[in-house]
Amino acid sequence: AQKVTQAQTEISVVEKEDVTLDCVYETRDTTYYLFWYKQPPSGELVFLIRRNSFDEQNEISGRYSWNFQKSTSSFNFTITASQVVDSAVYFCALSSNSGGSNYKLTFGKGTLLTVNP
Amino acid sequence: DTGVSQDPRHKITKRGQNVTFRCDPISEHNRLYWYRQTLGQGPEFLTYFQNEAQLEKSRLLSDRFSAERPKGSFSTLEIQRTEQGDSAMYLCASSSGYGMGEKLFFGSGTQLSVL
């Protein structure tokens, strides 16, 4: 079975603060993919990043960065100098071959990020 | 607009009524997915199409739920004899990949409220 845990239900920060969203995953597979999606109030999930289990390189994209650590089964997401437009629900998700269904995403419960001006 | 579109955006119905939602995926995307999201939860997989073939249904999908994707284009999700527990956001997604790790493109969802 696979599982994604996002322990932070809600986070509130003031604009320009840095914020880290935590994600811990469980899978028996050695090959898997991890994702982050953003869900703004409009409801549409927007893809942010994908990482495969063999690539532990951290990634930076503008104000966004991701820290993948297989040793702790974590894939954390940091927003630097947060902005009000970053306010949304952020989901971490996992895709693996468990059960022969490699196309399904297992999502965490999400973290609601509120950035106050 | 070349994204995934869903119709309607909102649906309010009375318990026991049937409802049907439509999803238009990105053109030429071969895979289409339905997910359900309840308040405070992440999306949960319901069913999946590879072109017109429905390849898997989650056990979450009771016999009252049926989905189709005629000719591998748009898809419909029908719920018969709706129950209050069916109230949720129904999300459609599509992709062009053939394996694990593909990027999904989501629509804005249909919010169903069963009174």
Side-chain angles (χ1 to χ4, degrees):
Chain A
Q2 50 190 43
K3 183 179 178 182
V4 176
T5 301
Q6 295 180 255
Q8 304 150 309
T9 305
E10 294 187 38
I11 298 177
S12 182
V13 298
V14 176
E15 205 168 19
K16 297 185 183 178
E17 281 187 33
D18 298 347
V19 57
T20 295
L21 309 181
D22 297 333
C23 172
V24 174
Y25 62 92
E26 295 176 29
T27 180
R28 295 171 301 185
D29 298 303
T30 56
T31 302
Y32 52 87
Y33 281 80
L34 295 162
F35 301 78
W36 277 95
Y37 281 84
K38 174 182 179 180
Q39 187 175 41
S42 61
E44 178 180 335
L45 278 89
V46 177
F47 169 87
L48 295 178
I49 191 170
R50 168 183 52 203
R51 246 335 185 224
N52 74 54
S53 52
F54 298 107
D55 183 1
E56 286 194 73
Q57 243 184 341
N58 292 330
E59 181 157 339
I60 298 174
S61 175
R63 295 183 298 106
Y64 296 170
S65 63
W66 291 269
N67 183 292
F68 177 29
Q69 291 195 330
K70 288 178 73 172
S71 61
T72 56
S73 297
S74 66
F75 186 43
N76 297 337
F77 172 30
T78 297
I79 302 175
T80 303
S82 59
Q83 300 176 1
V84 173
V85 293
D86 296 327
S87 297
V89 181
Y90 290 86
F91 290 99
C92 182
L94 168 68
S95 173
S96 73
N97 275 321
S98 292
S101 300
N102 64 6
Y103 43 80
K104 289 188 292 190
L105 287 178
T106 297
F107 286 86
K109 292 188 177 182
T111 298
L112 172 62
L113 173 64
T114 302
V115 182
N116 299 297
Chain B
D1 186 2
T2 57
V4 177
S5 62
Q6 292 187 246
D7 184 68
R9 288 296 310 275
H10 304 275
K11 180 69 178 179
I12 300 174
T13 190
K14 292 183 179 179
R15 188 176 51 189
Q17 298 293 306
N18 299 344
V19 295
T20 300
F21 312 140
R22 177 181 170 119
C23 170
D24 287 273
I26 292 174
S27 179
E28 296 178 356
H29 273 189
N30 58 314
R31 290 189 170 184
L32 186 146
Y33 305 78
W34 286 97
Y35 282 78
R36 180 170 66 188
Q37 184 179 16
T38 54
L39 197 62
Q41 302 294 315
E44 294 178 296
F45 171 83
L46 292 180
T47 190
Y48 148 70
F49 290 84
Q50 175 90 29
N51 299 312
E52 67 274 10
Q54 186 175 18
L55 298 187
E56 184 170 344
K57 291 172 61 174
S58 164
R59 58 181 180 276
L60 292 175
L61 221 59
S62 76
D63 292 343
R64 297 183 296 104
F65 287 70
S66 62
E68 295 182 341
R69 191 183 182 197
K71 300 179 183 179
S73 55
F74 70 92
S75 175
T76 58
L77 178 67
E78 180 182 14
I79 308 174
Q80 297 182 326
R81 305 181 303 283
T82 52
E83 301 173 357
Q84 288 186 326
D86 297 330
S87 295
M89 173 79 83
Y90 290 84
L91 295 164
C92 177
S94 68
S95 72
S96 59
Y98 286 90
M100 179 173 44
E102 58 190 27
K103 172 181 170 182
L104 299 190
F105 294 81
F106 284 85
S108 296
T110 294
Q111 181 67 53
L112 173 66
S113 298
V114 181
L115 304 178

